Amino acid sequence: MAETLAGAAAANVRAYRDIGLMWTRAAMAYPASFWMMAFSGFVVGGLDFVGIWIMFHTVDSLGEWNLREIAFLYGASGFGLAFADMLVGRVERLGDLIRTGRLDAMFLKPLPLLLQVCADEFALRRLSRILQSVVVLGVACTFVAWSPVKVLVTLSMIASSSVIYLAIFVAFACIQFWTIDANEVANAFTYGGNAVTQYPLSIYPREVVTGLTLVVPLAFVNWYPALYVIGKPDPYGFPDWLRFASPLAAVVLMALALLVWRTGVRHYTSTGS
Amino acid sequence: MAGLYLSVATRAFRRYSTYTAATLAGMFTNCVFGIILCFVYQELWSLKPHAGGYDVKEAITYVWLGQAMIMTVLVWGGGPTNDLANRIRTGDVALDLYRPVPLIGWYAAQDLGRAAYHLLARGIGPTLLGALLFDIRWPGSLGAWLAFAVSLPLAVLVSFAIRFLVASTAFWLLDSSGPATVAWITAAFLSGLTVPLVLFPGWTRDVVLTLPWATFIQIPADIWLGQRSGWHAVEGLVLGAAWAGVLLLVCAFVLRRATAKVVVQGG
């Protein structure tokens, strides 16, 4: 049983890779656009951070976090978003697939539907956004007083951040099974989630932080693990074990997202008559 | 001719108003981003009460005006100029060139119609929510309202001209998505959407305030807030008109070069 499961998983990874390679070759047909967009991905994240840097030209800290500490938050959240965006970001276009009938064609192919939707129009250029986050996070890490546990917490933070964003992309894209035009709602949670977590949660009211812990658990993307790694007190006095709970939050959220996906697929009755 | 442009604009307005779910979803996203930014700016302005010459109330107002302008001037790109880029790639642009209407005017009219819809739906909605949740400032005089109203079509025209130029690159590159990406990144940063331009340090502030993207958010917002009043407001409007004029001339020039030199796809 375990062997067949592992075999199926490996086959899916290979399928995703093959589809991804195909789209990468297709994108390379317009090399000028490919490199311009890849470079842009790097710049767009970079300018985002320059924006924060400009704010720090006027102040020394936000929510009692300095620029180096905020860079740690920024890098962790940015990495997760960029990684998820590259891997499953295309799920945002679910409505287009439904409208054009391409989703119906995907049902007929012997591969998981979600995999086909996510691998569709795979864009390797998004790697540049990941690289940009790695650079910021890398620089921020040079200011941390490291211990073996902190290394572990940081690695699990990066992995959890990616999984949480993967889940959010998939879960909120499912809205399009019901209303195909409403894909922008998802942006509020994916890109909006990234915008919220770029800053220390100490600048938000308590209710917002509670919501980000229990309802849409974006606080686990960087805030709780960062409190531990950088060694800061939690201004809201939430329990200390939350600092190690990111992997748990990621697994639960992913399971929920897959459940929402299944519900959406079951509800789907095609656009045809 | 004016009547024709007006009917093109009205149809564009109606075309964009068909997608109600998309509009509501977009408004929701604008509101979420607006609320996030308000918390960030409240923190920043509580630490530095007069940053950029704004008080906290003005900073909060700026957030909502920025959210209102995103779709009105299409900071992220898109709109009728996207259709143009596709039509250049497929060769359908040949039909556009045969129309007894100048191509630039045809698309500009569509874009103004679109902007009017986006201002009414995506602009006013989030601003009202902002006013409900936070304390925001309203224009202090009839003159300010009028100047603000004039600054909007100027902003749309400047944005349209830039997007038209981006779409025109498809005449040479076929696929204009690369230049389009560069364009929206530049626009997001230099329009003052990422950070208000008034916060830029030292001489960079003076530079960014004279670039075409300053007309997208910063200048209309400063007119609204009364930061620019009297001659200073007129100066802002003249800057917008000048950029719109210059960029539209460049559009006409580029289009002439393109139609003279480039073979339309398909023979």
Side-chain angles (χ1 to χ4, degrees), chain B residues 190-213:
Chain B
L190 293 179
S191 66
L193 186 65
T194 315
V195 185
L197 299 183
V198 291
L199 286 186
F200 276 52
W203 59 270
T204 55
R205 170 183 157 138
D206 303 327
V207 173
V208 293
L209 281 173
T210 49
L211 295 177
W213 298 277

Side-chain angles (χ1 to χ4, degrees), chain A residues 30 32-34 36-37 39-41 43-44 47-48 50-64 99 179 181-189 191-193 195-196 199 202-205 208, chain B residues 18-30 32-33 35-37 39-41 43-44 47-48 51-52 71 89 122 173-179 181-182 184-186 189 194-196 199-202:
Chain A
Y30 302 107
S33 270
F34 178 86
M36 243 188 264
M37 287 202 279
F39 180 68
S40 303
V43 174
V44 75
L47 284 181
D48 230 20
V50 170
I52 297 177
W53 178 82
I54 289 176
M55 290 186 195
F56 272 86
H57 204 78
T58 2
V59 291
D60 299 323
S61 68
L62 283 175
E64 293 179 20
R99 195 185 352 250
T179 48
D181 285 336
N183 63 328
E184 254 205 271
V185 169
N187 289 355
F189 297 93
Y191 301 102
V196 173
Y199 302 97
S202 43
I203 67 170
Y204 304 111
V208 172
Chain B
T18 339
Y19 305 104
T20 317
T23 300
L24 289 174
M27 281 168 69
F28 173 75
T29 305
N30 289 145
V32 170
F33 272 92
I35 292 170
I36 295 170
L37 279 173
F39 288 132
V40 176
Y41 288 2
E43 170 73 8
L44 193 143
L47 293 169
K48 187 88 181 233
M71 285 306 286
R89 192 165 47 80
R122 300 282 298 264
L173 298 174
L174 292 188
D175 177 36
S176 65
S177 47
T181 312
V182 174
W184 76 250
I185 292 169
T186 316
F189 192 66
T194 315
V195 185
L199 286 186
F200 276 52

